[in-house]
Amino acid sequence: MSISVNHLIKTYGSQVAVNDISFTIGKGEVVGFLGPNGAGKSTTMKMITGFLPADAGEIEVCGIKVSPHNISSHRKIGYLPEANPLYHEMYVREYLEFVSGVYQIKEKANRIEEVIKMVGLTTESHKKIGQLSKGYKQRVGLAAALIHDPEVLILDEPTSGLDPNQIVEIRSVIQTLAASKTILFSSHIMQEVEAVCNRVIIIHKGNIVADDNLASLQGTQNFGVTVRFSQPVSDQKLQELSGVQQIQNPEPNTYILYCQDAEAVKKQLLQFSINNNLDIVSLQTDSRSLENIFRELTSAPQSV
């Protein structure tokens, strides 16, 4: 396994930030690590990279046990933190040369040119970092994370604060890297995760609430059938329909019926409207986007 996390715990005083979580990520996987603000994403990623010690549990990267002082594990990981700390007074190549020296890379000049081309920095590489747009600063941070050719990439909100064009550009870079790297990255942009990842892990209040490939996750979560009648209908009557697990009434005459078999419930609704002399104004099935799944799994309180 490229990443192995076993019974990981991190607390800050009485606050449990990461609550005994475990997961593995195989070589070549691209995994989205999702959760609301404060869910424990960044804390977990910092522990995986060795920047933050765990209170309990074990982490291995490429078979090497991770700790803040284990340089061997650090060499396997490329890390782009959310804050993306850079020296703004340094030129792009100057900064990458500095990072190359930290990793004791041989033939630094060749490797610097490789990563500059890889992340699309060629046209801006003669500038000081402080002169770059945020999108290009993110590319510099990504280049620094790649300079030592790590097997594993940990990217914490790599497109945070970027405009739509910059997001597409960074996404393209990540997709290119996915061919040769194991990637764990967090994002609040669900469309980005759907486009890049083949698996998602969702964490909420320090607990993992989902860990599956996207297709399976969309198939196992409840569907929502939204029906709007021309007049009010008793929730109790709708609850009697076969397969309906929960009902919400977000607007007058509008009902969301959560179920496993959306088509069966829609057929029952049509028959229900005929039997009760009701007009259906609209009837549709929730598309089961990742955003909807995320909201369902992270809206309910979780024990810690």
Side-chain angles (χ1 to χ4, degrees):
M1 288 294 171
S2 291
I3 300 174
S4 177
V5 173
N6 293 296
H7 300 291
L8 197 63
I9 297 174
K10 185 67 181 178
T11 61
Y12 297 100
S14 61
Q15 177 65 40
V16 180
V18 177
N19 186 33
D20 194 18
I21 66 171
S22 299
F23 61 86
T24 59
I25 300 177
K27 185 176 181 180
E29 281 195 276
V30 182
V31 179
F33 195 39
L34 313 179
N37 290 331
K41 301 187 305 297
S42 292
T43 298
T44 300
M45 295 174 107
K46 288 176 182 176
M47 288 189 286
I48 292 173
T49 59
F51 277 77
L52 187 68
D55 292 335
E58 290 188 349
I59 305 166
E60 289 188 358
V61 173
C62 301
I64 302 172
K65 187 174 180 179
V66 172
S67 73
H69 306 294
N70 190 343
I71 296 177
S72 297
S73 65
H74 295 177
R75 292 185 181 278
K76 299 290 185 179
I77 302 169
Y79 179 38
L80 176 61
E82 183 178 5
N84 188 17
L86 298 169
Y87 294 106
H88 287 189
E89 292 305 310
M90 296 181 77
Y91 289 92
V92 172
R93 281 189 169 82
E94 180 186 13
Y95 175 70
L96 293 178
E97 184 173 352
F98 164 70
V99 177
S100 299
V102 171
Y103 284 105
Q104 299 178 338
I105 294 172
K106 298 178 180 179
E107 299 183 0
K108 291 189 292 184
N110 290 339
R111 182 57 184 165
I112 289 169
E113 292 307 315
E114 285 178 9
V115 295
I116 283 176
K117 184 177 180 180
M118 188 185 304
V119 302
L121 268 173
T122 303
T123 58
E124 305 295 306
S125 60
H126 65 286
K127 294 182 180 179
K128 284 188 175 183
I129 293 173
Q131 296 175 316
L132 302 179
S133 68
K134 185 163 186 179
Y136 278 108
K137 286 175 183 173
Q138 288 294 86
R139 291 174 189 245
V140 174
L142 191 54
L146 289 166
I147 197 72
H148 58 298
D149 195 21
E151 296 180 40
V152 174
L153 276 179
I154 308 291
L155 309 177
D156 194 358
E157 298 287 348
T159 59
S160 176
L162 304 187
D163 65 37
N165 290 332
Q166 292 169 335
I167 288 172
V168 171
E169 291 168 358
I170 294 297
R171 180 192 301 168
S172 177
V173 173
I174 293 172
Q175 287 173 320
T176 300
L177 294 171
S180 59
K181 308 289 181 187
T182 298
I183 302 176
L184 176 68
F185 83 98
S186 68
S187 177
H188 285 117
I189 304 172
M190 299 297 128
Q191 296 90 338
E192 176 182 323
V193 176
E194 289 177 312
V196 175
C197 296
N198 46 34
R199 174 181 159 202
V200 295
I201 298 172
I202 301 178
I203 187 171
H204 180 41
K205 294 186 180 296
N207 297 282
I208 290 178
V209 295
D211 180 359
D212 210 337
N213 66 67
L214 186 55
S216 296
L217 192 59
Q218 288 173 319
T220 57
Q221 296 300 310
N222 290 341
F223 285 88
V225 176
T226 302
V227 59
R228 184 180 178 189
F229 295 104
S230 57
Q231 62 192 70
V233 176
S234 167
D235 284 16
Q236 185 175 356
K237 287 186 176 181
L238 292 173
Q239 190 70 59
E240 293 174 358
L241 299 178
S242 176
V244 174
Q245 300 173 347
Q246 183 183 355
I247 297 176
Q248 291 182 357
N249 182 205
E251 299 176 6
N253 307 343
T254 301
Y255 306 86
I256 304 175
L257 285 64
Y258 290 98
C259 58
Q260 288 287 342
D261 190 340
E263 292 304 313
V265 169
K266 287 167 74 173
K267 289 178 182 178
Q268 291 181 77
L269 283 169
L270 293 172
Q271 189 62 51
F272 176 84
S273 66
I274 294 171
N275 294 344
N276 292 275
N277 197 28
L278 295 168
D279 291 328
I280 294 180
V281 177
S282 62
L283 180 63
Q284 63 185 37
T285 304
D286 187 340
S287 65
R288 307 311 304 137
S289 68
L290 181 57
E291 181 177 353
N292 290 325
I293 294 170
F294 177 88
R295 291 177 64 185
E296 287 179 19
L297 292 173
T298 61
S299 59
Q302 297 288 320
S303 60
V304 296

